[in-house]
Amino acid sequence: MTTPALETRDLNKTFGALNATTNVNFRLEPGARHALIGPNGAGKTTFINLLTGVLQPSSGDVILHGESIIGLKRERRVRKGLVRTFQINQLFAGLTVIESLALVISERSGRGWNWLRPTHAVAGIEREIATLLKDFGLDGVGDEKCLALPYGKQRLLEIALAIACRPRVLLLDEPAAGVPEADRKEVMQHISRLSSDVSILLIEHDMDLVFNFANRISVLVAGALFAEGSVDQIARDQRVKEVYLGGAAHG
């Protein structure tokens, strides 16, 4: 059996008497395009926080490429290849697009203290930045301040920064949230072009995006794994329709 890119085993999180996550057994296969959905209050944010080390579980395990990462701090998980984007952009205020990419690449390669040197002075960084700018449609805005970019470009920059970390597993938390309708297609097109070397878990409430992107879907309800299957299986599942697709609030 293939080793999962990311796995949880009997994952639990309690806050006092509240069971926020209950016995979640989840597998993200290598190269997967997997979506996590669920109604408001389903526990998606808690689950992602447990994966990334923002929260520590009450019991259970989180396993990245066969290695338990329980107890590792967030930055150590990133260095091991588990990278996350956020529902609300986490960009570097005051830096340009190129400066932001240079900072992340320099930090990844152990040169964080020296990131302000001209990019051409550090072998490979200038070339890597140019590739990222091109791959994410940012080549015309490299000298712009991050927060001055149109919101769709900000989302693309955040994904580019995540890819600059060289993830093996990428958690995309509502990557099209807040993006104008005209730009949403561009954001998802760039995501769909990401290398199959990166296993992707998409947390999303827009079902059109989910059905167009994912090849497998997990449904979380009240902190527990409610259903899982292919896109067709989830679309036909009457229980899922009743709790989520049939009109329950998205979130």
Side-chain angles (χ1 to χ4, degrees):
M1 182 179 292
T2 303
T3 300
L6 183 67
E7 182 181 10
T8 68
R9 296 178 185 170
D10 296 325
L11 196 65
N12 289 278
K13 181 63 180 179
T14 60
F15 297 98
L18 173 66
N19 294 322
T21 304
T22 305
N23 293 329
V24 174
N25 290 288
F26 171 82
R27 286 173 62 99
L28 182 71
E29 299 297 339
R33 298 299 184 258
H34 199 130
L36 178 68
I37 66 172
N40 284 332
K44 300 188 298 298
T45 298
T46 298
F47 181 64
I48 296 305
N49 285 341
L50 290 169
L51 296 180
T52 55
V54 175
L55 294 173
Q56 291 298 317
S58 302
S59 62
D61 207 353
V62 178
I63 301 164
L64 181 66
H65 288 284
E67 178 185 355
S68 176
I69 56 174
I70 289 295
L72 291 187
K73 294 181 178 180
R74 283 175 277 181
E75 56 270 23
R76 287 282 295 142
R77 298 185 192 209
V78 170
R79 290 192 180 279
K80 285 183 173 292
L82 179 60
V83 179
R84 172 190 187 178
T85 68
F86 291 83
Q87 184 177 350
I88 299 173
N89 278 340
Q90 306 285 310
L91 298 177
F92 300 111
L95 297 187
T96 68
V97 172
I98 287 175
E99 287 170 344
S100 298
L101 290 167
L103 174 59
V104 170
I105 295 167
S106 296
E107 180 65 28
R108 184 201 72 213
S109 57
R111 301 189 190 96
W113 62 272
N114 210 17
W115 71 274
L116 277 173
R117 289 178 63 191
T119 57
H120 64 267
V122 183
I125 287 185
E126 186 177 45
R127 185 168 55 252
E128 185 172 349
I129 289 173
T131 298
L132 287 166
L133 292 175
K134 181 179 178 181
D135 287 349
F136 289 93
L138 299 167
D139 27 2
V141 296
D143 293 323
E144 298 288 331
K145 297 289 188 183
C146 298
L147 299 186
L149 296 177
Y151 199 66
K153 294 294 187 185
Q154 290 187 24
R155 297 304 266 182
L156 287 170
L157 174 57
E158 187 181 19
I159 299 166
L161 292 169
I163 294 300
C165 295
R166 294 191 178 169
R168 302 165 75 191
V169 173
L170 180 59
L171 310 179
L172 295 172
D173 192 353
E174 297 196 33
V179 176
E181 190 64 35
D183 298 328
R184 291 166 72 84
K185 184 177 180 181
E186 181 186 8
V187 171
M188 292 309 297
Q189 282 177 339
H190 283 285
I191 291 172
S192 69
R193 295 176 191 146
L194 293 175
S195 170
S196 60
D197 291 339
V198 181
S199 308
I200 300 175
L201 177 60
L202 174 73
I203 301 90
E204 184 54 70
H205 73 274
D206 185 319
M207 296 312 301
D208 288 336
L209 295 184
V210 167
F211 287 150
N212 285 322
F213 173 81
N215 50 35
R216 191 164 184 81
I217 299 173
S218 296
V219 185
L220 203 63
V221 176
L225 199 59
F226 181 77
E228 191 169 78
S230 68
V231 171
D232 287 343
Q233 288 172 327
I234 295 301
R236 294 196 306 264
D237 192 316
Q238 189 59 40
R239 299 176 310 140
V240 174
K241 290 179 180 179
E242 290 172 359
V243 302
Y244 185 61
L245 298 180
H250 293 169

